[in-house]
Amino acid sequence: MKDKPLVVFTLPYGKDNFRKVEEAGFTLLYLDEESLQEGDLPSETEVLVCYSPFNRIDLSCLPRLKLIHLVSKGVNQVPVEGVRQQGIEVVNNGDATSVPIAEWIVAMILMLLKNSPGIHGRQRRKVWEPDRSVMELAGKRICILGTGNIAGQAALRLKPFLTDLTGINSTGRPVDGFDRCYSLKDLDHVLHNTDILVSTLPATAETEKLIDSRRLSLLKKGALFINISRGAITDEQAVMNSLESGHLKGAALDVFEKEPLNRESPLWSTDNLIITPHNSFLSDAYRQRVFDVVFENLKRYLKGETLNNRVDFDRGY
């Protein structure tokens, strides 16, 4: 009888879920990613389900490794040359985090429009002072950079607020849920009429520092900026300057150029900026949703079928 392929998980998904993997036809080994050391992975490992242990493992010592299944959407942590040299297929979590991230986008927009940080500050100081600067979401023109799963889920939730939605993608192809779509080369034109700019783009050579001081200046005065994609897309100093000048009314950043954000960073004390610690993808349902994506691909792997959410490193995602 052919040996069952060994799949190593570096994050816990519960006994019941792990039992499903074993019943499907795998030998399963769980090794905690935080404590993983070089040499811990058995040489017979065929599938690795992980987030980012690559600075502590040597892929060349895993000659039977055929598949790396990331539990993240982002892929920048993967040693591209190593996986290419060994012919290892890499897939990511696909749509698994779209729902909580979309909800986070809506929450941040509403918090900024309703000045929740300022109101909470008054509460802590026990100050009864109505805030007449709060704004409505209805009628706002929102531009979402990227029109993939996350952007689509965000659009689905923003449309009932009677918003106007523009999507930006590589070609300008139309996408359901958006009132219109433009290509990335048309971004400058779109920004002039944008009240709220949301980035869901992957980090690529084309998108690095895409949102800089020039593009922020093109936004309508009093606009909002939301970034849940990658810190490399944004010039953080430019965002801070735009907030301090009053051109941006507010911003919410969940991702940063370097994480964790340095305690000495001036971003922490910038007015009208909401900082969250790369938290937008988390929820009570997140872990099970990610496992379901992984389990579907594991079943496909055993059957020799095409896997979902395959990563194209030439495109950067």
Side-chain angles (χ1 to χ4, degrees):
M1 178 182 294
K2 183 180 181 295
D3 290 340
K4 294 180 179 181
L6 174 62
V7 56
V8 176
F9 280 75
T10 66
L11 292 101
Y13 289 96
K15 292 181 180 179
D16 290 343
N17 283 331
F18 280 170
R19 187 179 302 112
K20 288 173 62 176
V21 173
E22 292 173 327
E23 290 174 350
F26 286 92
T27 298
L28 186 147
L29 175 64
Y30 167 66
L31 297 171
D32 177 64
E33 184 160 312
E34 290 300 316
S35 57
L36 191 67
Q37 299 295 323
E38 187 172 347
D40 286 350
L41 285 175
S43 61
E44 61 267 30
T45 302
E46 193 166 324
V47 179
L48 176 61
V49 180
C50 64
Y51 169 55
S52 182
F54 302 105
N55 62 336
R56 285 166 284 144
I57 63 175
D58 183 353
L59 294 180
S60 66
C61 295
L62 303 172
R64 297 181 61 177
L65 186 62
K66 299 292 188 296
L67 171 65
I68 295 174
H69 200 309
L70 300 173
V71 299
S72 62
K73 181 77 169 180
V75 302
N76 292 351
Q77 70 271 39
V78 178
V80 179
E81 291 306 314
V83 299
R84 281 178 167 165
Q85 288 174 6
Q86 292 183 225
I88 301 168
E89 186 166 12
V90 179
V91 298
N92 65 15
N93 73 17
D95 197 26
T97 58
S98 296
V99 168
I101 294 177
E103 291 182 356
W104 186 93
I105 290 170
V106 176
M108 294 302 108
I109 290 174
L110 289 171
M111 286 177 67
L112 290 168
L113 288 175
K114 303 304 180 183
N115 192 23
S116 292
I119 290 173
H120 290 160
R122 292 171 190 171
Q123 177 182 337
R124 289 192 297 270
R125 299 193 308 272
K126 302 178 183 179
V127 174
W128 183 277
E129 181 183 331
D131 186 341
R132 304 187 189 282
S133 71
V134 298
M135 303 172 69
E136 294 183 4
L137 180 52
K140 294 295 184 291
R141 297 177 68 91
I142 302 175
C143 174
I144 303 182
L145 305 177
T147 55
N149 295 330
I150 292 171
Q153 290 292 331
L156 181 67
R157 287 157 176 78
L158 288 166
K159 199 60 184 174
F161 284 93
L162 307 179
T163 59
D164 181 274
L165 297 174
T166 296
I168 299 289
N169 54 43
S170 57
T171 63
R173 66 189 182 282
V175 177
D176 289 344
F178 292 87
D179 294 297
R180 68 198 65 79
C181 289
Y182 292 98
S183 69
L184 192 57
K185 64 182 177 60
D186 296 317
L187 176 59
D188 288 2
H189 168 73
V190 174
L191 292 178
H192 287 288
N193 294 313
T194 296
D195 296 301
I196 302 169
L197 178 64
V198 180
S199 177
T200 70
L201 290 171
T204 66
E206 188 178 16
T207 63
E208 185 174 0
K209 292 294 187 293
L210 181 72
I211 305 305
D212 55 12
S213 58
R214 185 183 68 81
R215 288 204 167 92
L216 289 172
S217 71
L218 296 178
L219 289 167
K220 292 170 65 175
K221 182 176 174 56
L224 306 180
F225 174 58
I226 313 289
N227 188 13
I228 58 84
S229 52
R230 287 292 178 264
I233 290 167
T234 305
D235 182 334
E236 293 172 358
Q237 182 66 49
V239 172
M240 187 170 64
N241 292 345
S242 188
L243 286 166
E244 291 176 344
S245 73
H247 188 75
L248 276 180
K249 175 182 174 64
L253 305 179
D254 187 53
V255 290
F256 300 86
E257 296 178 50
K258 293 184 179 180
E259 297 183 3
L261 183 63
N262 192 304
R263 289 174 60 89
E264 306 305 315
S265 170
L267 288 170
W268 288 108
S269 54
T270 300
D271 288 341
N272 301 320
L273 173 61
I274 298 175
I275 291 174
T276 56
H278 208 137
N279 208 84
S280 62
F281 67 96
L282 295 172
S283 75
D284 55 339
Y286 153 75
R287 190 173 295 274
Q288 185 59 45
R289 193 179 285 116
V290 170
F291 174 80
D292 291 342
V293 171
V294 172
F295 187 55
E296 174 61 28
N297 265 335
L298 291 179
K299 291 187 293 183
R300 286 172 173 264
Y301 178 84
L302 285 176
K303 295 176 183 177
E305 298 175 352
T306 300
L307 303 182
N308 296 324
N309 315 314
R310 298 167 72 184
V311 174
D312 182 347
F313 288 105
D314 290 328
R315 299 178 68 183
Y317 56 92

